Amino acid sequence: MRIRYLALAAALLLPACGSPQDSQAQDGVFETQVRAVPRDAAAVKSSFAPVVQIAAPAVVNIAAQGVQTYRDPFWGQFSQPTGSVGSGVIVRADGVVVTNTHVIKGMSDIRVSLSDRREYRARVLLADERSDIAVLQLEGVEDQLPVLRIDTGEDQLIGDLVLAIGNPFGVGQTVTNGIISALNRTETGISDSGSFIQTDAAINPGNSGGALVDMDGDLIGINTAIFSRTGSSSGVGFAVPATMVQRVVSSALGGETMVVRPWLGLTGETVSSERARELGLDRPRGLVITDVWDGGPAAQANLRAGDVVVSIDGTAVDDLGGLNFRVGTRAPGDSVQVGLIRDGRERTVTARVERLPGNPDLEAATVIAAGALAGAQVLALNPAVADRLGIDPVTRGVIVGALGRASVARQRVGLQTGDVVIAVDGRDVSEVNQLARIGSGTELTILRGGERLTGTIR
């Protein structure tokens, strides 16, 4: 089973490897209804047309083109045009559009077509790779465009009806229907901090960036990826929830060039059945804290190792990805309510999430000149650097970057790019100079792919 993102390569081109408060739907068309199971054939045959009529005009087609540069050992360097086709959603009447980052990444010419065949060029305001959400501004907009309201209420339930609207296979706007199959999906392999809405509404390549809409005609997610063996819909699609979409939109409209994700300053492990018994829990739930960053938000809120975090702001969390997503939808300085279990008793504490400490500059990496690790480019981790590299921000140590093919560190020690040296002769490592002039007989402990390895240099 492979995850497939949903952008579609443009024909004859190489594959491409206002604030929400301003977003207004047509007043009076929909009223929130009490959920009820259809009781007769007439109810089952009810049409989705009223929802489509209000939602579809705000869903757009996106065609993006760029130039990709290749380097071939025989032919040398050459460039080739590349492109992708996807979908997007207008969220502000002056032409603010949300789509997937992978639809427009590396593209220099982005054109957006509305359902009424109007076409605009677009520029990128912000492209956030971790959430796979990008915000575009259409150029030359003179009229008020149709919009979809971003619904961040998170009142969806498994089994709710939804519509997926987009541009599958580049054939033009298409509407499919289904239900919410699951909520808060984190173990997908799509993102280390994603928590996705899963739907069985048919989603195919080209639907990337399209709308997942509820029966009130509101945007509840941006369609992003599918699980598929064939590349076509198999009924397992994923959408980025509206809470994260709004976070990225707010950052873009606030003039930011990147989404600043706050942190809670802790790490933990999902509670297994065995661990639940050890902790005296009635069932496996939440994640047990294994480490707290000194002076971080969690430490200041008196959270500690052994506590079991079960919710953030009332929403259940069962793993680190879910916790990171919940915290990541907030802005630095916001307060969150952390539900936890300590000594068998449930309680709620307030923590103020903050920016990750440290300088995220990767240019500070240095090359070790002598010793057994000679030739290794290394960088001391801090939470900001670790987060930028996709590593748990609580990780301490020195990360290995580029390695020369003939370097001593590669050939003799067997280090690999991405290894994190966490201890030398049993002593914790936090600075690059602790790795200088290391010789034979030194014991190294590293993290590689989440696994802790210890060996002696010979």
Side-chain angles (χ1 to χ4, degrees), residues 325-340:
F325 174 80
R326 289 291 151 196
V327 173
T329 61
R330 309 304 295 270
D334 285 352
S335 294
V336 297
Q337 300 299 308
V338 183
L340 61 91

Side-chain angles (χ1 to χ4, degrees), residues 298 301-303 307 311 313 336-340 342 347-351:
N302 197 32
L303 294 172
D307 288 346
S311 67
D313 289 330
V336 297
Q337 300 299 308
V338 183
L340 61 91
R342 177 185 295 169
R347 64 186 70 190
T348 301
V349 300
T350 300

Side-chain angles (χ1 to χ4, degrees), residues 62-140:
I62 296 177
Q65 296 184 14
V67 176
Q68 192 165 5
T69 300
Y70 301 87
R71 184 177 296 278
D72 184 273
F74 183 74
W75 296 104
Q77 181 172 303
F78 65 97
S79 298
Q80 186 90 20
T82 184
S84 67
V85 174
S87 307
V89 181
I90 305 172
V91 296
R92 207 168 76 166
D94 61 355
V96 175
V97 172
V98 173
T99 186
N100 282 143
T101 296
H102 72 262
V103 171
I104 53 85
K105 183 179 180 181
M107 302 298 171
S108 56
D109 184 14
I110 303 170
R111 297 182 182 272
V112 175
S113 300
L114 277 61
S115 59
D116 62 8
R117 300 178 66 181
R118 282 182 289 176
E119 183 176 298
Y120 299 91
R121 297 190 69 166
R123 56 186 174 88
V124 179
L125 297 180
L126 190 155
D128 182 55
E129 293 199 31
R130 289 185 62 178
S131 65
D132 198 18
I133 295 296
V135 182
L136 312 178
Q137 175 65 63
L138 304 187
E139 298 178 343

Side-chain angles (χ1 to χ4, degrees), residues 25-35 50-51 54 149 155 214-218:
Q26 296 177 20
D27 293 336
V29 176
F30 294 104
E31 294 181 359
T32 302
Q33 302 294 323
V34 176
R35 295 175 174 86
V51 182
I54 191 173
R149 187 180 76 90
D155 58 352
D214 65 12
M215 292 300 100
D216 294 325
D218 293 333

Side-chain angles (χ1 to χ4, degrees), residues 292-439:
V292 174
W293 188 267
D294 291 342
Q300 294 179 35
N302 197 32
L303 294 172
R304 54 180 184 255
D307 288 346
V308 179
V309 178
V310 294
S311 67
I312 299 291
D313 289 330
T315 299
V317 295
D318 287 315
D319 52 36
L320 193 58
L323 183 143
N324 288 340
F325 174 80
R326 289 291 151 196
V327 173
T329 61
R330 309 304 295 270
D334 285 352
S335 294
V336 297
Q337 300 299 308
V338 183
L340 61 91
I341 299 174
R342 177 185 295 169
D343 299 327
R345 298 179 59 184
E346 294 199 29
R347 64 186 70 190
T348 301
V349 300
T350 300
R352 186 180 298 278
V353 297
E354 301 292 349
R355 290 174 178 262
L356 283 85
N359 187 342
D361 184 14
L362 303 183
E363 300 300 320
T366 59
V367 177
I368 296 178
L373 302 188
Q377 185 185 54
V378 294
L379 178 65
L381 289 178
N382 59 52
V385 164
D387 183 68
R388 182 173 176 182
L389 295 173
I391 301 170
D392 188 336
V394 177
T395 303
R396 300 167 177 84
V398 173
I399 189 168
V400 178
L403 286 166
R405 291 186 178 181
S407 67
V408 175
R410 178 191 290 272
Q411 296 295 332
R412 181 177 169 187
V413 182
L415 285 182
Q416 298 177 13
T417 297
D419 287 347
V420 178
V421 181
I422 59 174
V424 173
D425 289 331
R427 294 188 297 273
D428 291 344
V429 168
S430 59
E431 301 292 339
V432 170
N433 58 20
Q434 293 176 260
L435 303 184
R437 301 187 180 280
I438 287 177

Side-chain angles (χ1 to χ4, degrees), residues 230-262:
T230 64
S232 297
S233 174
S234 57
V236 185
F238 298 97
V240 178
T243 48
M244 180 56 74
V245 175
Q246 179 171 332
R247 178 80 176 89
V248 180
V249 171
S250 297
S251 296
L253 297 182
E256 298 179 20
T257 57
M258 61 181 294
V259 178
V260 178
R261 286 177 172 79

